[in-house]
Amino acid sequence: MSGPNNEYDPVQVTPLNAEEVAAARDAALAAVEAAADLEQLKQARLDHAGDRSPLALANREIGALPPQARKEAGQRVGQARGAINQALKARQEVLEAAHEEQMLVVETVDVTLPVDRHPRGARHPLTTGAERIADVFVAMGWEVAEGPVIEAEWLNFDALNLGPDHPARTMQDTFWTSPAENHVVLRTHTSPVQARSMLTRTPPIYVVCPGRVFRTDEYDATHSPMFHQVEGLAIDEGITMAHLKGTLDHFATAMFGEGITTRFRPSYFPFTEPSAEVDLVCFVCRGTAVNEDGDTCRTCRGEGWIEWGGCGVVNPRVLVACGVDPERYTGFAFGMGIDRTLMFRHGVEDLRGFFEGDVRFTTAFGTEI
Amino acid sequence: MKAPVTWIRELVDLPDGVTTDDLARRLTALGLKLEAIERPGHDLTGPLVLGRVLTAEPEPQKNGKTINWCSVDVGDANGTGEPQGIVCGAHNFGPGDLVVVVLPGAVLPGGFAIAARKTYGHVSAGMICSASELGLPDGFGGSSDGIVVLPADAGEPGDDAFGVLPLRDEVIEFEINPDRAYALSLRGVAREAALAFDAPYADPVDRPVPAADGAGHPVVVDDPDGCPVFVTRVVSGFDPTATSPAWLQRRLQLAGMRPISLAVDVSNYVMLELGQPNHCYDADTLTGAIRVRRATAGEKLTTLDGVVRSLDAADLLIADGSGPIGIAGVMGGEATEISASTSRIVVEAAHFDPVTVFRSQKRHKLGSEASKRFERGVDPLLPLVAADRVAQLLVELGGGTVEPGTTYVGEPPAAPTIVAPADLPARISGIAIDDATTVAHLEAVGCAVTEDGTTLSVVPPSWRPDLTEPFDLVEEVVRIVGYDQVPSVLPAPGAGRGLTREQRLRRRVGRTLAGAGCVEVVSFPFTGAAALDALEIPADDERRRTVALANPLSSQEPEYTTTLLPGILAAAARNVGRGAPGVALFETGTVAFATDVAAPLLGVDRRPTDAELDALLAAVPFQPQHLAVVLGGVREPAGPWGPGRDAGWADVVEVVRGLATELGATLRVENAELAPWHPGRCARLLVVGADGTETAVGHAGELHPRIVTAHGLPARTSVAELDLDALLAATPSTPRGPSFSTYPVAKEDVALVVDVSVPAADVEAALCEGAGELLESVRLFDVYTGEGIDEGRKSLAFALRFRAVDRTLGEGEAAAARDEAVALASQRTGAVQR
Ligand SMILES: [Zn+2]
C-alpha cells in the first residue's frame, strides 16, 4: 500500500502520466477491497481518498499544467478518483450490512427468561361482578343507587312492610347496633336503598342497588355474616309482572348467555304482592338436568333450574310509606345474591374463598369478569 | 311442614296416575314450595313376613349376655313350611307372640342385607325385627322397647308384613311461607292439592259438632282482644294406660313429631290434621275455672319443658285458681299436664291474637308448633270442631266418654270485605285474565265474591287471614292462572344518566391499584378492642369511635370498624402464612363512626315529612368509604434482571401518589406521626382543591416495627389508609385543556444544603414560589450527606426547567430566576447553595 506524500514536492508529482494515475487507482481499489471491517475501510479512505492521498495531491497539480495537458490530466485523475469513491461507497455498504448482521447475532438473548419483575394485581370478583351487573342495567337506561350499610331500622324494615311484629322480621337474623333503642341495624338486604330511592326520587324510577348486607349467620361454606346482594326497583305507570319477567329474562341472558331465561314460583315477601321466587335455567346443563356424560347435573342437582332470587310487584303499602302515589304508579322489585350468582357462574364451591383475601383466589378471576 | 302422601290422599281424591312427584311439582307451582320428598320404607325389601313365636329358649353366653334360640312359624314364607330357627338378643316377647320376621334375602334400611349365618352355636336364618330396624317409631304399636309384638289378630304367620304394617309411605316436606299458615295442616295441604288437580276434597272440618251450651269446663276470658275464642270439652273415664295405635304413631312420626302418649299424640294429630293447636289438661289438677288474662309482672310458670319462666305483664296467660297454667298459644304448664294416671281430661281449643303469641314466643325464646301456627294466623272458626275432634278421638282410642257440655266463650273475628277492581289481576300480572276467570279462581280458594259492575266485593274464607287487600287477591288469581303464564316484556325506562362520577371514579381506583400490582380483598368489617389495641390506636383517637353491635357473632369482634387496617392486615398475614414471599393488597369498604342519636319511630301510613326523615337519618352513623393498601415483603423479586427488593414506605407512598395523579387530584405529602405507623416514616396525605384549600385524606408509610412483628408481617411492611370519598370529592370534574410553550427550554441545576430536619417538600415549595412564572418544573434528583457536608446537614439537588410562553429566554433570564428561587429557599429554609 502506498503511503501518503508527506511533503508537497511538485517535482515528484509532476509526471501525471497515465501509468502513475492508474497505479494509484489500482492501489486504492485494492486497499478498499482488502478492508475487512469498517475501521480498516476508514483507514483506506484516509489513505487513498483523503486530502493527502496521491490522487488528491495530483489533482492539485493539474492547474499548473499547460491547458492542453490540463484537460487530459483532469479527465484521467477525475475518473480514477470517481472509481475509488464508488468502490468506497460499495464497500461501505457491504461492511455496514455485515456489521449489523454481526451485531444482531451478538445481541441475541434468551427471550424465555422470566421478566415478571412486577407481580400482577387484580380486582375482586365481587367488585367486578357487581359492576358487570350494573352495566347490564345501565345499558337499559337504569341507574345505580347506593346507600349506607348501617341503616335506620325504619328504612330496613318498617318502610318495607315489615312491621315490628312481622314474623319475617325474625326470619332475617339482624345485627342490631347498640343501644338497640336507637333503632339502627346493619342492613339485612339492599332494600333500604329502594326505600331511599323512592323517598328521594320522582317516578319514573329505574334503579339497581348492589351492595353489602349482613345477617347473623354462622360462617361456613354456604353462609356468611356478610354477603352481597343486588336489588332492582322499577316504579312507573302501568308496570306489570310481565315487565318484571322481561327484565329478569334479559338480566339472566346478559349474565349467563343466550337461552338462559327465568321462571317464577309463587312466594312471599312482605314488600311485594304478588311475590315470586325466580329460578334460572341451569346454564351448565341448559335445563336438561344431565351433564355431558349423561349423569345428573351437579350444578342444579338434576332440577334443570337454579334458585336465583326473589321478586314481585311492589306492595302498595311500601309505596305509601315511601311517598309514591299507589293510585298512579305500580312497581316491581327483585333481589338476588351476588356471591351466590358468582359461585354458580364460576363454579366456586366455598363461599369463604371470597372473604379470605388469598391472592391466588382473586387473581384467578383477572381484572374483569 | 311434612305431609305424608297417604294422609293427603285420604282428604282429596286425586286423579288416577298422579304421582307424588307430580303432586309436589303442582303444589310448588301453587306456592307450597317443595323442600324434599322422603320415601320411608322404600329402602326396605322383603321377604318380610309375620311370624308366630313357637319356642324361645334362653341361652346364657360366656360374654354375660343371654340370647334366645327361637323357632318361629312363618307359614310357607320360607318355602318349607318348617319353623324358622332364629337367634334373638331381645327379651320383650315370648312363645305365642305375633312378630315381624325378616328372612334371608331381605334388605333392611341402610342397605343391611339379611342372610342365614352362624352365631352363638346356631344357624340363625333371619331376624325378629325391632321398631327401629323397620324405621318405625320406638314403642310402635304399644310394644315396649325392643321387638315389635303385634296384636294377636293382626294377621297370620307367613302374611306379607308390608300389607299389615304402615312400613312404606311418601312424605312431602314443604316450606310454608308466612302468608300460607293454613297449609301448616293436612287440611290446608289437601285443599291446595284439590285446587291443583281440580279434584274432590273432603274438608275434615265438615262434621257435626254439638252446639255450645256453656256446660264444659268453666272459662272466663278477661282479654277478648288477646283471646277472641276459647272452647273446652271434657273427657272422663279415659284409660291412662291406653297407648296410641300404630297408625297414629306412624303418622306423627312421618309428619316429624315424636309419639309421646295417647293424649298428647291425639292433641298433636288434630293440630296436624286441622291446623288448630290445642291442649289437654289433667282435669283433676285444675283449680276452678280457667281464666284467660294478662300476667302480672313477676308471676312464674314452670312450662312443660321443665323451665321456670318469669312472666311479663304483656304475656297472655291461661290461669286457674292456682295461678298461671300456660302461656297462651305458646306452651302449657307442667303442673296441669297429662300424667300416667290422668283419667279426666279438659280439652282446650282457642283462638289467640297472632301478635300477642308472637311477642310471648320471642320474649321467652320458646317457639313451638303451636306458636308457629298462631303467630301466622289460624282459622278462628276451628276451636269448636277441633276440641270435639280431640275429645272424640281420645274416647275412640282411650275409652271413656265425652261429657255432653261444650263451653264456648267469645266471638270469632269477622272476615273483612275487600273491594277491588275486577281487572286488577289482569292489570298487575300483564296476563289477559277475564273477570269471570278472576271470580272463579277467587271462589276456588274459598272466597265469597259479589260482582257489582267492574268492582268485586270479596270476603275471604276464615282460614285465610292473610287476605286483607286487593293485591292479596291478585296473587291468588295469578297463582291459579299460573305464574308461567306471565309474559316477558321489557319495560321502557327513559334515557338514563349512566354511572355517577363517583361510581366511575371508584372503578378507576380499582383498575389503577390493580395496575400497580395490588390485589383487591374483601374483609369483614367487624373489629374489637383487641384489634385496635394491636394497632396501638390511642384511647382518644377517633378511630376508637366504633359502632357497637348489640348481638355480635363473636365476642372478640363486637364492633363495626372505623378502619380497614385490621381486616387487610389479617389478609396480608394470611397470605404470608401461606407462603407468599410478598403481598400487595388493597381494599375499599365502608367504615363507620358512632353517633349516639336515637331514630324516631315513624309510621308507615304516609311518607315521613322531610323533618322526620332528617331526624331518622341523623341516627345513621357517618359511613365514609375508605381505601387501604398494604405492601409487604418482596415487591420486586430477584431475577435475571438483578437483585430484587422489598417493599418499604416509598412504595406505598408511590402507589397513593400514582393513584392521585391518575384521578387528577393534587396531593401534598407532609411528615406526620400517627399509630400504627413508624413515627419517622409516616406521611400525611392532603388533597389540594382548586381554590388551594387542603383537606387531609389519610396517611401512608411504614408500619411501626413493633406492630409489624405483632401481626406476623414481613419487616418494613407499609400501609396506607385514605378517606376515598374525600379524595374523589377533590378530583377536578372537568379538566381544562392545557396550553404549553414550544420555545426552547433552559435548564438550571442547584444543590442546596439544609438541616436534615427540613423536608425536601418545603425547599421545593420555596424554589417554586421564588422562581416565578418562568419555572416550568422542578425535580429533586439527589439527596447527599457525607463528605463535604456538615454533620446534621444534607444536600438536595434540584433540576429546574425554565421556559417562557411567548419567547425564547434571553441570556441570563433563567439564571436570574434560579437565583430568585434560591434566595427564597434560603430565606424560608436556611438553604445554602453549594
Ligand atoms: Zn344443571
Side-chain angles (χ1 to χ4, degrees), chain A residues 146 165 176 199 249 317 356, chain B residues 359 469 488 506 550 574:
Chain A
E146 294 164 312
D165 293 309
W176 298 84
L199 286 163
D249 279 343
R317 290 168 182 246
E356 276 192 325
Chain B
R359 289 182 180 168
E469 291 180 39
S488 188
R506 281 206 296 269
R574 197 169 296 125

Side-chain angles (χ1 to χ4, degrees), chain B residues 696-829:
Chain B
V697 293
H699 294 80
E702 193 176 304
L703 280 176
H704 194 295
R706 207 161 48 216
I707 290 166
V708 168
T709 308
H711 285 78
L713 294 166
R716 309 244 170 255
T717 291
S718 297
V719 302
E721 180 164 26
L722 288 83
D723 181 335
L724 190 57
D725 290 342
L727 177 62
L728 297 186
T731 60
S733 52
T734 314
R736 305 288 305 170
S739 65
F740 43 77
S741 167
T742 53
Y743 289 97
V745 67
K747 301 175 188 174
E748 296 280 343
D749 290 353
V750 292
L752 300 174
V753 177
V754 293
D755 281 348
V756 287
S757 63
V758 175
D762 291 1
V763 181
E764 185 178 310
L767 286 173
C768 284
E769 194 181 328
E773 62 181 8
L774 291 181
L775 184 73
E776 183 175 82
S777 70
V778 56
R779 182 169 179 280
L780 175 76
F781 66 89
D782 191 30
V783 179
Y784 174 75
T785 54
E787 199 173 333
I789 303 295
D790 291 344
E791 187 79 16
R793 307 272 285 172
K794 63 185 173 187
S795 168
L796 305 174
F798 292 92
L800 288 75
R801 292 161 64 90
F802 296 93
R803 183 146 37 192
V805 292
D806 55 351
R807 65 187 193 284
T808 300
L809 287 179
E811 192 77 16
E813 270 191 284
R818 177 203 64 203
D819 292 344
E820 292 290 329
V822 171
L824 191 63
S826 301
Q827 185 193 325
R828 291 261 178 88
T829 66

Side-chain angles (χ1 to χ4, degrees), chain A residues 113-124 126-127 130-132 134-135 138 140-146 148-152 154-155 158-159 164-168 170-171 174-184 186 196 199-201 206 212 214-219 224-226 228 236 239-247 249-250 264-268 273-277 307 313-317 320-323 330 332 354-360 362-363 367-368, chain B residues 28-33 175 177-180 355 358-359 362 375-376 426-430 468-469 471-475 478-479 483-484 486-500 503 506-508 510-511 513-526 547-553 560 571 574-575 578 580 583-590 592 595-608 613 616-617 619-621 623 634-637 640-641:
Chain A
L113 285 175
V115 293
D116 48 346
R117 242 171 294 193
H118 306 286
R120 199 160 67 86
R123 304 173 72 207
H124 199 280
L126 284 170
T127 309
E131 288 177 2
R132 189 186 160 88
D135 288 345
V138 168
M140 289 194 285
W142 294 47
E143 293 180 9
V144 179
E146 294 164 312
V149 297
I150 305 180
E151 185 59 287
W154 189 86
L155 288 164
D158 304 61
D165 293 309
H166 203 292
T170 48
M171 278 160 51
T174 310
F175 280 110
W176 298 84
T177 68
S178 182
E181 302 81 71
N182 282 2
H183 300 288
V184 173
L186 304 200
R196 283 172 176 260
L199 286 163
T200 56
R201 296 172 185 236
Y206 290 85
R212 282 177 196 178
F214 298 85
R215 309 248 175 110
T216 55
D217 284 332
E218 290 295 337
Y219 192 35
S224 168
M226 178 179 89
H228 297 73
D236 207 339
I239 286 287
T240 71
M241 288 176 83
H243 294 129
L244 171 59
K245 180 79 163 68
T247 302
D249 279 343
H250 178 77
F264 287 172
R265 282 181 286 109
S267 189
Y268 172 79
E273 186 73 39
S275 301
E277 303 260 0
E307 288 183 29
V313 174
V314 178
N315 193 314
R317 290 168 182 246
V320 168
C322 296
T330 51
F332 68 73
F354 287 110
F355 306 118
E356 276 192 325
D358 193 314
V359 298
R360 294 167 299 180
T362 309
T363 48
T367 50
E368 307 289 331
Chain B
T28 296
L30 276 180
L32 305 191
K33 190 191 166 196
E175 187 186 313
N177 285 317
D179 62 335
R180 303 205 177 277
V355 171
F358 174 70
R359 289 182 180 168
K362 240 176 91 176
E375 72 193 22
R376 286 166 169 78
R427 226 168 354 107
I428 296 305
S429 67
T468 58
E469 291 180 39
F471 275 57
D472 300 332
L473 304 180
V474 173
E475 182 171 282
V478 177
R479 76 186 178 105
Y483 271 32
D484 56 348
V486 176
S488 188
V489 178
L490 272 175
R497 289 169 295 187
L499 297 176
T500 64
Q503 287 163 350
R506 281 206 296 269
R507 292 183 173 196
R508 194 150 152 197
R511 294 201 185 105
L513 293 171
C518 301
V519 176
E520 187 175 15
V521 298
V522 174
S523 308
F524 292 160
F526 304 120
V547 174
L549 300 176
N551 55 336
L553 276 187
Y560 197 101
R574 197 169 296 125
N575 279 286
R578 291 178 181 179
V583 282
L585 306 179
F586 78 98
E587 174 162 21
T588 58
T590 300
T595 320
D596 192 15
V597 176
L601 296 173
L602 303 178
V604 291
D605 53 343
R606 59 166 173 80
R607 182 192 192 275
L613 264 185
L616 188 76
L617 298 182
V620 175
Q623 295 166 65
V634 173
R635 175 71 172 151
E636 228 184 82
W641 50 80

Side-chain angles (χ1 to χ4, degrees), chain A residues 282-290 297-306:
Chain A
C282 174
F283 69 99
V284 173
C285 65
R286 306 192 70 82
T288 61
V290 292
C297 173
R298 282 182 59 208
T299 304
C300 62
R301 295 193 193 86
E303 295 286 323
W305 295 89
I306 297 170

Side-chain angles (χ1 to χ4, degrees), chain B residues 202-225:
Chain B
D203 190 342
V205 166
D206 291 339
R207 57 200 302 274
V209 286
D213 58 5
H217 190 87
V219 173
V220 179
V221 174
D222 289 345
D223 192 330
D225 291 337

